Amino acid sequence: MRKLLLLLLMMAGFSAYSQPKNFTIEQATMGQMRDFGPQSMRSMCWKGSAPVLTYIEDGKLMGVDSKSGVTSVLATIADLSGDAKKAVAREFRVGRVAWNDANTLSLFGANATVVYDLPSKSVKSKVVAPSEAGDYTLNSASSMAAFTIDDNLYYVSGSSTPIQITKDGGKGIVNGKSVHRNEFGIKGGIFWSPQGNAIAFYRMDESMVSEYPIVDISKRVAEYRGERYPMAGMASHQVKVGVYDIKSGKTVFLETGAPSDRFFTNIAWTPDERFILVAEINRAQNEMLLNKYDARSGMFVATLFEEKSDKWVEPQVPALFLTKNPSQFIWQSPRDGWNHLYLYDINGKLVKQLTKGAWEVSELETVTPDDKYVYYTSTAVSPLERHLYKLDIKSGKTVQLTSERGTHNPIVNHAAGLFVDQYSSLNIPNVINIKSIVKPVVVRDLIVAKNPYEGYRMGQERFIKTKTVDGKYDLYGRIILPADFDSTKKYPVVVYVYGGPHAQLVTDSWMGGARLWEFYMAQKGYIMFTLDNRGTPARGNDFYQAIHRKLGEPDIEDQMQGIAYLKSLPYVDADRIGVHGWSYGGFMTTSLMCKHPETFKVGVAGAPVIDWKYYEVMYGERYMDTPQENPEGYARASLLNNVKGLKGDLLIIHSDYDVTVVWQNSLRFIQECVNNNIPVDYFVYPQHEHNVRGKDRVHLMTKITKYFDDNLKK
């Protein structure tokens, strides 16, 4: 009897052990990288031109020799001391390092940089800004850093006393910060000259822009906080580009002239520090001039070239100057319908178009110091994939250096004849190896990551392809079937949508680009579906710009093509289809619920744009023109005019600190629902901005999940 009991207990234990597990909502929300991130190598970079790859592991700087395969510890935080250690300790552990050459590297803190000499294990120099500094920007050539405090610009050399450059910041004047609400590829407002002799910077005057009311409820009596928010068709801020000379301590402003509400972006210094190139875009965003200015006087020199469009122009990347021939630069542009590389001289003469074809350059990785080769990634194989190419600038000969299916993120070391090939695909979590450039074969295998979800119930995922209504374009999507899928049953569907510019959700990368929450929903018995419609990137201008002046029309039409595909599947319950999205995806969700109530039973819209006249100048006017110029388009897109179409269960979620999609959008929609006696559900996250971050995100995803469980799963 004891033996039988013991056998039964062992069998029960084995059964429990082998039973696939489900994710918790906490894991599905916060654990995709924390708990289930595939094995990888943090902060990979080449040790200058040496054939040694370095990375951070457990707070140690590691190096692996490509030839021998020997791995060694190069440095640890214990090698530093005093102020240097204090300045960079936290960031060193998470991997903020960069090699200056084969012997020295920069270690970055939040507001500090330490230059470390590896052979002597000593600190060569350090730059430290005050703890309250923001926008910290280092010039490694001069070992100086510029930064902002409040709305003024400063710089510091070493650990000396900071020098204040501007003094007019405040009351609508902002210096040294990002402008134009981070559109046009803008990521900051400080631009060091190559050798560190001068600093170009943005000066933004937003005093003429209306202050949008934000209320801080954390106070005993709630307090008003104004946010300068330029709505479409209204006054926009005005920007100048200043140039501060370190030696003289004087500032000049580029003489950009009128009108004053244009957009200035893609700022680039010439290597000799004599000139500055600025891409200048008119308010209508259909014309761009690449202008050259004298950096010492600020005087306009010449327009190098212009680009025009009957829809919009949107330069994203500054000119990249060659090294051996610094009078030439590479420019990225979609002027022929696809994003490609062009070689120009400093006088604006087009030397040659470097890349061409019905595909897009995704990233210009590097140009060799001898100006012979360009390395770039592109969509030439598939819009879902990214591969590395080597281009001979003189002959135009191009060699594809990666062949494995998927999305490749390379790090090139041309001097050593090597590159790191890190890639993933739908079913491959992460592969890292070192390959030869001369003959793209694997020199050293580093990581072949295991599936981190082994032992968990995972829904089957695959890509799908359908067509636009006119048959002109392929539409790519992904579908995740429920765990324990049974083709004889019918399942509810949740469509996860974004659908707007600058976001491609469906990629041939690990998990197809899906979030773990989607697999969590598949564990609960849902089919999860996502499709990239016209208006999303990486497909050329015709596909991308189809939404011009008519947001919510071709993009919605394409989503309905995805629905037609779903309805063709015998295991889809066409009476139980839901939709969820955030921001532009919130606009799409609410649009689908209101315009296709016969199809969508349940929706959850996060931070939705409800009427584009409440959205910002830069983004809104690019895609819709102004409300004055395109009243019919704004009226058709406005969901205030489509409230009466709402029949299903809709939950709208917004945050009271949202300064991207202001709260007024969803409040006006609720008001229209009340006016028309239409039921709608609503939830507000206090003191969050455009999305709900941190621990509160678990609450958000729990609420979204429960809404579908309560209203769609039944």
Side-chain angles (χ1 to χ4, degrees):
M1 186 65 181
R2 284 184 178 179
K3 290 183 178 180
L4 178 60
L5 181 60
L6 180 61
L7 180 62
L8 290 172
L9 288 171
M10 290 176 62
M11 292 176 63
F14 177 77
S15 176
Y17 178 78
S18 61
Q19 186 72 24
K21 295 180 287 187
N22 287 329
F23 304 112
T24 65
I25 188 64
E26 289 80 8
Q27 289 175 317
T29 302
M30 309 293 287
Q32 186 156 356
M33 294 307 297
R34 183 190 66 193
D35 301 328
F36 299 102
Q39 181 188 7
S40 191
M41 300 168 73
R42 179 183 294 149
S43 193
M44 289 186 293
C45 49
W46 289 103
K47 189 173 178 283
S49 59
V52 176
L53 180 69
T54 68
Y55 59 98
I56 298 291
E57 182 178 84
D58 298 328
K60 298 188 287 282
L61 179 67
M62 309 295 295
V64 55
D65 188 289
S66 302
K67 295 178 180 178
S68 67
V70 173
T71 299
S72 58
V73 177
L74 301 181
T76 71
I77 194 65
D79 294 331
L80 302 177
S81 61
D83 292 341
K85 182 176 182 179
K86 182 179 178 181
V88 301
R90 186 177 67 85
E91 281 75 11
F92 181 84
R93 291 188 181 93
V94 299
R96 291 186 62 199
V97 301
W99 287 91
N100 304 317
D101 53 47
N103 292 318
T104 61
L105 70 156
S106 294
L107 310 173
F108 297 97
N111 291 318
T113 307
V114 170
V115 177
Y116 183 75
D117 182 74
L118 192 63
S120 66
K121 291 190 178 297
S122 63
V123 173
K124 291 186 66 177
S125 64
K126 64 178 182 289
V127 184
V128 181
S131 59
E132 68 270 27
D135 307 289
Y136 178 91
T137 306
L138 176 76
N139 179 264
S140 57
S142 64
S143 294
M144 292 189 287
F147 56 90
T148 63
I149 295 178
D150 296 328
D151 292 326
N152 280 311
L153 178 66
Y154 299 73
Y155 81 95
V156 66
S157 177
S159 300
S160 60
T161 302
I163 295 175
Q164 187 169 352
I165 296 173
T166 67
K167 297 181 180 179
D168 61 344
K171 296 183 179 180
I173 304 299
V174 181
N175 294 289
K177 295 181 182 291
S178 182
V179 299
H180 306 321
R181 299 187 68 81
N182 301 310
E183 296 292 332
F184 313 108
I186 296 173
K187 297 180 178 66
I190 299 171
F191 311 91
W192 278 100
S193 65
Q195 298 306 311
N197 294 306
I199 306 169
F201 63 94
Y202 283 131
R203 178 190 185 273
M204 175 171 62
D205 181 356
E206 53 182 1
S207 61
M208 68 292 297
V209 176
S210 300
E211 284 191 284
Y212 192 86
I214 303 293
V215 177
D216 182 357
I217 66 165
S218 66
K219 310 299 182 183
R220 173 64 177 84
V221 176
E223 293 182 357
Y224 167 87
R225 175 168 65 86
E227 174 75 19
R228 304 280 183 176
Y229 192 92
M231 288 188 181
M234 299 178 70
S236 182
H237 58 236
Q238 300 175 8
V239 171
K240 294 180 179 180
V241 179
V243 183
Y244 176 81
D245 183 88
I246 297 291
K247 186 175 181 180
S248 69
K250 294 181 179 180
T251 298
V252 299
F253 285 91
L254 303 187
E255 297 181 0
T256 53
S260 57
D261 61 351
R262 288 174 295 150
F263 309 113
F264 302 93
T265 184
N266 301 155
I267 293 175
W269 285 86
T270 56
D272 60 8
E273 300 188 327
R274 288 184 59 197
F275 303 104
I276 293 176
L277 305 189
V278 183
E280 302 180 16
I281 305 164
N282 62 339
R283 172 77 182 253
Q285 300 188 52
N286 57 11
E287 179 181 276
M288 185 278 295
L289 305 178
L290 186 66
N291 286 339
K292 180 168 74 171
Y293 293 89
D294 186 294
R296 295 185 181 92
S297 67
M299 291 183 63
F300 169 78
V301 177
T303 295
L304 301 188
F305 57 81
E306 64 179 333
E307 295 183 353
K308 293 184 177 181
S309 171
D310 60 353
K311 294 182 175 65
W312 68 75
V313 295
E314 191 182 5
Q316 293 285 315
V317 183
L320 177 65
F321 284 88
L322 303 186
T323 302
K324 189 176 181 180
N325 184 1
S327 65
Q328 293 185 340
F329 63 89
I330 294 175
W331 182 255
Q332 293 192 47
S333 172
R335 66 178 62 159
D336 72 351
W338 304 84
N339 189 56
H340 282 297
L341 306 179
Y342 297 81
L343 183 64
Y344 275 91
D345 72 17
I346 191 58
N347 297 313
K349 178 185 176 183
L350 177 62
V351 178
K352 64 184 340 184
Q353 182 172 350
L354 296 175
T355 61
K356 190 176 182 63
W359 45 269
E360 302 232 317
V361 170
S362 306
E363 193 81 32
L364 198 169
E365 300 294 336
T366 190
V367 180
T368 59
D370 59 8
D371 299 347
K372 289 185 178 180
Y373 302 103
V374 173
Y375 292 86
Y376 65 89
T377 53
S378 86
T379 63
V381 170
S382 164
L384 303 188
E385 300 184 43
R386 302 292 186 270
H387 286 273
L388 176 65
Y389 297 82
K390 175 185 176 184
L391 166 69
D392 185 305
I393 292 179
K394 185 176 181 179
S395 70
K397 180 182 177 182
T398 302
V399 177
Q400 183 177 335
L401 297 178
T402 55
S403 57
E404 297 87 350
R405 172 186 156 182
T407 298
H408 294 257
N409 297 289
I411 308 172
V412 176
N413 184 346
H414 178 80
L418 302 167
F419 70 96
V420 175
D421 186 15
Q422 179 177 19
Y423 69 93
S424 69
S425 62
L426 180 65
N427 298 309
I428 295 177
N430 192 30
V431 172
I432 303 175
N433 52 42
I434 296 174
K435 289 183 177 178
S436 167
I437 289 172
V438 179
K439 187 178 181 181
V441 296
V442 174
V443 173
R444 184 72 51 195
D445 285 312
L446 299 177
I447 284 179
V448 178
K450 295 180 180 179
N451 181 357
Y453 299 111
E454 286 183 3
Y456 284 85
R457 294 173 62 243
M458 298 290 288
Q460 178 189 347
E461 183 181 19
R462 67 171 185 265
F463 294 125
I464 70 99
K465 185 167 71 173
T466 186
K467 290 280 190 180
T468 51
V469 170
D470 59 9
K472 186 176 180 181
Y473 301 104
D474 290 328
L475 297 172
Y476 294 93
R478 66 170 181 259
I479 188 169
I480 305 172
L481 299 177
D484 307 324
F485 173 70
D486 182 345
S487 63
T488 66
K489 296 182 179 179
K490 286 187 176 290
Y491 296 92
V493 178
V494 174
V495 176
Y496 176 65
V497 62
Y498 181 77
H502 302 149
Q504 182 184 14
L505 295 189
V506 183
T507 58
D508 197 352
S509 57
W510 176 229
M511 298 170 65
R515 300 179 300 163
L516 185 54
W517 176 77
E518 294 169 60
F519 286 88
Y520 173 77
M521 294 293 280
Q523 287 181 349
K524 292 172 70 66
Y526 294 94
I527 292 173
M528 301 300 293
F529 182 78
T530 293
L531 179 137
D532 284 327
N533 49 253
R534 280 173 292 171
T536 58
R539 301 290 304 280
N541 283 357
D542 288 346
F543 190 91
Y544 182 44
Q545 296 185 328
I547 58 173
H548 186 236
R549 292 173 65 91
K550 49 186 178 182
L551 299 184
E553 296 180 50
D555 39 7
I556 291 294
E557 181 179 87
D558 290 352
Q559 289 296 323
M560 294 309 295
Q561 287 295 98
I563 295 300
Y565 166 82
L566 287 172
K567 288 182 176 180
S568 72
L569 303 175
Y571 42 82
V572 165
D573 187 340
D575 294 326
R576 292 189 294 163
I577 297 178
V579 58
H580 166 52
W582 203 274
S583 195
Y584 197 101
F587 164 69
M588 292 288 284
T589 294
T590 313
S591 297
L592 289 164
M593 290 294 295
C594 291
K595 295 180 178 181
H596 292 280
E598 76 289 348
T599 297
F600 294 94
K601 181 181 180 183
V602 180
V604 180
V609 179
I610 294 297
D611 193 315
W612 288 97
K613 71 174 179 283
Y614 298 133
Y615 203 67
E616 63 183 37
V617 163
M618 300 79 192
Y619 187 103
E621 292 183 9
R622 180 185 311 134
Y623 305 124
M624 287 291 283
D625 292 335
T626 68
Q628 297 89 336
E629 294 165 331
N630 183 21
E632 296 86 1
Y634 274 82
R636 289 194 303 271
S638 175
L639 297 171
L640 300 177
N641 299 328
N642 290 275
V643 166
K644 293 180 181 178
L646 180 61
K647 306 298 181 187
D649 294 302
L650 174 62
L651 169 62
I652 294 182
I653 301 172
H654 219 136
S655 302
D656 64 347
Y657 276 14
D658 196 333
V659 293
T660 302
V661 178
V662 294
W663 198 6
Q664 186 172 358
N665 279 273
S666 61
L667 289 175
R668 286 284 290 114
F669 186 82
I670 296 300
Q671 184 179 44
E672 284 302 306
C673 287
V674 173
N675 291 345
N676 289 277
N677 198 28
I678 294 173
V680 66
D681 294 307
Y682 195 66
F683 195 86
V684 177
Y685 279 92
Q687 298 183 281
H688 280 277
E689 296 189 355
H690 186 49
N691 216 319
V692 180
R693 308 289 186 187
K695 63 181 180 60
D696 292 353
R697 190 163 184 82
V698 176
H699 186 281
L700 168 70
M701 300 314 298
T702 301
K703 187 162 192 66
I704 293 170
T705 302
K706 186 175 186 301
Y707 198 77
F708 284 117
D709 284 348
D710 290 346
N711 297 288
L712 186 67
K713 200 172 183 181
K714 297 176 181 177

